[in-house]
Amino acid sequence: MKEININFDRSELNLKEILSYSDKVKNIHDKMEKFETEGSSFLGWKDLPNNINNKELDRMEAIAKKLHKDGVETLVVIGIGGSYLGVRAGIDFVLGELPGDEQKMEIIFVGESLSSTALVQKLRYVENKKFAINVISKSGTTLEPAIAFRLFKKMLEDKVGVNNAKDYIFATTDASKGVLLDLAMQKGYERFIIPDDVGGRFSVLTPVGLFPFACVGLNIKKMVAGAKLANDAYSSNNLGINPAYQYAVARYLLHTQRKYPVEMLVSYENAHKYFLEWWKQLFAESEGKNGKALLPHSALFTTDLHSLGQIIQEGSKVLFETVITVKKPKYDIKIMELAQDEDLDKLNYLAGKTVHEINNIAFEATLDAHSLVGRVPNIHIQIEDYSEETFGSLVMFFERAVAISGYLLEINPFNQPGVEVYKSNMFKTLKKPM
Ligand code: PA5
């Protein structure tokens, strides 16, 4: 299994304090396993890696292969929230910020906002490309993706004809209800199912993520295998040997005992930008209820050390950091030595070191600066690499953690009633028929 190592040495907590929650965590875990906790009808994510059917993975891979063979250049992925962030996170996590030939198909994301400018620009962008559409919505009624789908579907139908268009439209939605399901069935689109018991922000390891991953060329079988091993490792009720649950308790203690209102998840890899966004949604929507919870914030270092670094070091003491580093980068490069008269940038002192080594030195230096000088508690999570297996593991790690963390706060981690308020206000003004 791809290891995830967690270190609390700079967290201002000691392991004994964390482990004093062993009985409480065991109790929550055991209840969760027996489906006795609040929101237990949405615990399907726990068993996803074991339940994913190989035939379904084969079907996704076969369709992806056909799209490659047909010369489809671009997949337009339409979705928002849990039907968007995990997809974007997984692709960047494995391929990096600027992938080359390794990426089998370009992806663009739409329906993730109501920005008319963004929508029109993306419509224009695909106008002269051979594109396919994957519309993702569990409820099938979310306005942002529904509007985008109407517009992109029309463009595709106008381009290739209604009959041909249906071979290039894929709907990922609920098995038995929703406008999108009805539409897909009427039009005869190929469908993928989001299981009933898996909520949006927990759905990246369902076809929500897996189908687009297969299209860009990620190895979805390896990803599921990584998730399965991690799920086994992080489903022990023994807090002493379960790092995902230790992380949950540590953040709970830093919030409730040490009174920090903000957790900042930091990564030193550009490829993790959307993983940080996925994590923010996972924790914000799961925990932010009843006037409770840490505000999840994020930063990319060293980039943001040049913007947020000052306030983290010397500003108000509102946050603790959870920092992700990668042992083995996807690529690395050595700083070359130049002849003395060419050493005009004065960087010869770095010659022989790789950029990843320097990134690690920046991490160590920042850890000392923030935790020892700035008194900002730091939790360190080290992951192995950029692989599909590691992505699957890390998803399971944080999903396990958020469940325990939410139940420690005594809230239901699996609903999001607050999100409905803006929607009902908007629909009232728009006079949506009930
Ligand atoms: O986590 C969630 O449940 C939400 O963020 C949803 O994923 C998001 O609102 C999109 O919903 P849907 O997939 O129903 O369009």
Side-chain angles (χ1 to χ4, degrees), residues 264-333:
M264 182 182 265
L265 187 70
V266 174
S267 170
Y268 279 75
E269 298 294 325
N270 295 21
H272 292 173
K273 184 170 172 190
Y274 281 93
F275 189 82
L276 302 180
E277 296 301 320
W278 172 85
W279 171 90
K280 273 197 271 194
Q281 187 208 357
L282 184 69
F283 281 83
E285 260 187 8
S286 300
E287 294 194 317
K289 288 151 210 174
N290 304 349
K292 297 183 184 179
L294 280 160
L295 173 70
H297 188 28
S298 67
L300 270 185
F301 286 176
T302 61
T303 313
D304 291 329
L305 287 174
H306 297 257
S307 61
L308 299 171
Q310 174 61 36
I311 196 165
I312 298 170
Q313 187 73 45
E314 293 181 348
S316 45
K317 296 291 158 218
V318 291
L319 63 87
F320 70 90
E321 293 171 303
T322 298
V323 183
I324 300 178
T325 61
V326 177
K327 245 195 218 169
K328 194 167 167 290
K330 193 173 182 75
Y331 302 110
D332 201 1
I333 187 164

Side-chain angles (χ1 to χ4, degrees), residues 70-116:
D70 289 355
V72 172
E73 297 163 273
T74 306
L75 182 69
V76 178
V77 171
I78 303 178
I80 194 166
S83 295
Y84 157 62
L85 287 165
V87 187
R88 195 156 191 176
I91 293 170
D92 282 13
F93 189 102
V94 177
L95 295 181
E97 195 186 19
L98 210 57
D101 292 348
E102 201 189 349
Q103 179 166 0
K104 297 242 171 71
M105 194 188 289
E106 177 193 38
I107 294 245
I108 65 161
F109 294 94
V110 295
E112 85 296 20
S113 81
L114 284 171
S115 162
S116 56

Side-chain angles (χ1 to χ4, degrees), residues 80-83 136-140 142 145 200-201 281 285 416 423:
I80 194 166
S83 295
I136 309 172
S137 177
K138 186 170 185 217
S139 63
T142 310
R201 58 190 172 277
Q281 187 208 357
E285 260 187 8
Q416 55 284 328
K423 289 190 196 169

Side-chain angles (χ1 to χ4, degrees), residues 11-12 251-263 293-295 316-321 374-377:
S11 68
E12 295 184 9
R251 64 193 300 284
Y252 172 77
L253 286 171
L254 286 165
H255 182 41
T256 57
Q257 314 285 311
R258 307 294 205 277
K259 304 293 175 203
Y260 286 99
V262 180
E263 175 180 11
L294 280 160
L295 173 70
S316 45
K317 296 291 158 218
V318 291
L319 63 87
F320 70 90
E321 293 171 303
R375 311 296 325 160
V376 175

Side-chain angles (χ1 to χ4, degrees), residues 33-211:
E33 290 305 307
K34 287 190 252 160
F35 296 90
E36 286 172 0
T37 47
E38 214 190 337
S40 59
S41 53
F42 281 98
L43 285 170
W45 55 270
K46 275 192 314 104
D47 302 311
L48 268 181
N50 295 321
N51 292 343
I52 294 170
N53 179 327
N54 247 330
K55 262 199 188 148
E56 189 61 356
L57 297 177
D58 289 342
R59 179 166 78 103
M60 289 183 236
E61 286 177 341
I63 295 170
K65 228 183 220 166
K66 179 173 182 302
L67 295 179
H68 300 153
K69 200 165 145 244
D70 289 355
V72 172
E73 297 163 273
T74 306
L75 182 69
V76 178
V77 171
I78 303 178
I80 194 166
S83 295
Y84 157 62
L85 287 165
V87 187
R88 195 156 191 176
I91 293 170
D92 282 13
F93 189 102
V94 177
L95 295 181
E97 195 186 19
L98 210 57
D101 292 348
E102 201 189 349
Q103 179 166 0
K104 297 242 171 71
M105 194 188 289
E106 177 193 38
I107 294 245
I108 65 161
F109 294 94
V110 295
E112 85 296 20
S113 81
L114 284 171
S115 162
S116 56
T117 303
L119 201 52
V120 172
Q121 285 177 331
K122 288 171 189 172
L123 279 162
R124 285 185 188 154
Y125 181 76
V126 294
E127 202 169 10
N128 296 315
K129 291 188 182 265
K130 185 155 183 168
F131 71 92
I133 298 172
N134 179 203
V135 54
I136 309 172
S137 177
K138 186 170 185 217
S139 63
T141 54
T142 310
L143 190 63
E144 292 89 337
I147 290 176
F149 183 46
R150 178 179 277 218
L151 296 168
F152 277 84
K153 175 163 94 57
K154 176 79 171 57
M155 177 181 267
L156 188 60
E157 288 173 349
D158 288 349
K159 240 171 105 85
V160 302
V162 175
N163 241 341
N164 290 332
K166 76 174 176 35
D167 294 337
Y168 294 99
I169 297 178
F170 304 91
T172 307
T173 190
D174 192 87
S176 58
K177 58 181 182 305
V179 176
L180 179 59
L181 175 72
D182 296 345
L183 189 160
M185 291 199 357
Q186 274 206 30
K187 295 279 182 183
Y189 301 149
E190 182 93 30
R191 283 180 290 126
F192 298 107
I193 291 170
I194 310 173
D196 254 359
D197 54 359
V198 180
R201 58 190 172 277
F202 291 84
S203 68
V204 60
L205 296 175
T206 72
V208 167
L210 297 176
F211 177 60

